[in-house]
Amino acid sequence: MFHVALKLAQEQQNYVAVTHIYDLLANLAYEQGEHEKAEKLFVSVMQRLLSTGTPKTDNKLIHISLKLANIYRIQKDTRKAEEGFKFCASNLQNNIEEGKYDDDTLLLWAMTLDWYARFLVDVNRLPEAFENFKRAYDLCVQINGVNNEEIVILLNDLGTICFVQNDLDNAISYLTQAVTIGNKLPDMEDFGSVLINLGTMYAKKGMMEEAKQLYQDAWKNAKEHNNAQVLKEASSCLDELKSSKTAQQ
């Protein structure tokens, strides 16, 4: 369908329509994991937008740049990925500081900080990752409040980084907040993973009954959402807890 529309737009020499179709094709390739194809199309879209006078600080161009940065992250091109994330973050921050923003801009900035943080986790720069996750969290709270899946995920990420850095108390604090909010979101399909993470923190603290309850809750949640991966993980955690208890007797 897109290719037919593209041919028509090209025949009519409709520059704007061609650019729009390239953008749709790029996003389709991106969502389907065809990253090389998506990269070429996104670059083409950027070039076409720039050639018609769209400033490089425009949200549309920044959003494309963000997706390109994430493609480079997936492709393990560390230099290009970091350059892309920093370009997006700095331009968005400048726009916001100059008062040129709306809620969509703030959401794009939060997304940029979140994706950049995940890149920083990949390259084991955890303190920087934590800082960016925290900024993304603060922005998301500012825009949408706390009772949503994005906040649960960000709190889970913050807790996970604390755990990896041996800050167990703060890890439990963030994950407890995540679980409290997640319990109000019955449609959250991956909530079981958050429950498992908090259970693991309690197990590390030697609080086995609390850990067991969380693993059981995770198992039930995964069962309700037909989440086979989390179901398997919760079962494994419960088995491990049982084995540990048996070994201590």
Side-chain angles (χ1 to χ4, degrees):
M1 179 180 172
F2 286 141
H3 293 286
V4 173
L6 178 60
K7 185 179 179 182
L8 285 171
Q10 288 171 332
E11 288 174 353
Q12 295 169 5
Q13 296 184 331
N14 189 330
Y15 196 87
V16 173
V18 170
T19 302
H20 179 62
I21 294 166
Y22 278 167
D23 188 43
L24 291 172
L25 288 168
N27 280 291
L28 181 62
Y30 181 83
E31 294 298 329
Q32 293 178 340
E34 299 176 40
H35 296 124
E36 288 186 15
K37 180 179 178 181
E39 177 190 357
K40 291 175 183 176
L41 285 164
F42 277 135
V43 169
S44 179
V45 172
M46 288 183 71
Q47 290 171 341
R48 294 174 71 88
L49 289 171
L50 288 167
S51 73
T52 56
T54 304
K56 68 177 183 179
T57 55
D58 185 88
N59 277 1
K60 186 168 185 61
L61 277 170
I62 292 174
H63 203 169
I64 293 171
S65 297
L66 181 59
K67 288 178 179 176
L68 280 169
N70 204 45
I71 287 171
Y72 298 138
R73 173 201 165 203
I74 292 166
Q75 294 174 338
K76 309 295 184 186
D77 190 332
T78 303
R79 182 185 62 81
K80 281 188 177 181
E82 181 146 31
E83 285 176 356
F85 287 127
K86 284 185 172 180
F87 166 82
C88 296
S90 63
N91 278 293
L92 285 165
Q93 185 167 349
N94 288 339
N95 288 345
I96 290 165
E97 287 174 353
E98 292 171 8
K100 298 184 292 187
Y101 69 92
D102 53 17
D103 280 353
D104 287 341
T105 306
L106 291 175
L107 282 170
L108 183 56
W109 193 24
M111 185 190 301
T112 299
L113 294 169
D114 181 20
W115 288 15
Y116 184 36
R118 295 182 193 286
F119 163 79
L120 292 167
V121 170
D122 290 346
V123 296
N124 202 32
R125 287 157 57 184
L126 298 183
E128 292 174 76
F130 182 89
E131 180 183 338
N132 280 276
F133 275 135
K134 185 64 169 63
R135 291 171 73 195
Y137 167 82
D138 290 339
L139 274 170
C140 286
V141 170
Q142 177 185 335
I143 300 162
N144 292 325
V146 296
N147 292 320
N148 56 76
E149 292 187 16
E150 289 76 15
I151 292 297
V152 175
I153 293 167
L154 285 165
L155 286 167
N156 179 71
D157 292 327
L158 288 165
T160 301
I161 289 179
C162 288
F163 174 68
V164 173
Q165 296 185 115
N166 297 314
D167 185 357
L168 197 52
D169 289 338
N170 274 320
I172 289 174
S173 175
Y174 282 119
L175 282 160
T176 299
Q177 292 177 65
V179 167
T180 300
I181 297 167
N183 280 327
K184 303 173 188 175
L185 305 171
D187 295 330
M188 185 171 180
E189 294 186 1
D190 291 328
F191 181 52
S193 295
V194 182
L195 291 164
I196 288 171
N197 286 343
L198 182 56
T200 301
M201 306 300 159
Y202 278 129
K204 290 288 183 183
K205 293 272 279 188
M207 301 167 68
M208 299 308 180
E209 287 304 313
E210 290 84 350
K212 180 181 177 182
Q213 184 61 59
L214 284 158
Y215 292 151
Q216 288 174 338
D217 291 345
W219 190 93
K220 291 175 186 175
N221 184 273
K223 192 76 172 175
E224 288 171 5
H225 291 287
N226 296 315
N227 192 323
Q229 183 177 345
V230 175
L231 193 65
K232 182 179 179 181
E233 189 176 351
S235 297
S236 176
C237 289
L238 285 165
D239 289 343
E240 188 176 333
L241 208 62
K242 187 176 180 180
S243 298
S244 175
K245 188 175 181 180
T246 302
Q248 291 174 3
Q249 290 176 346

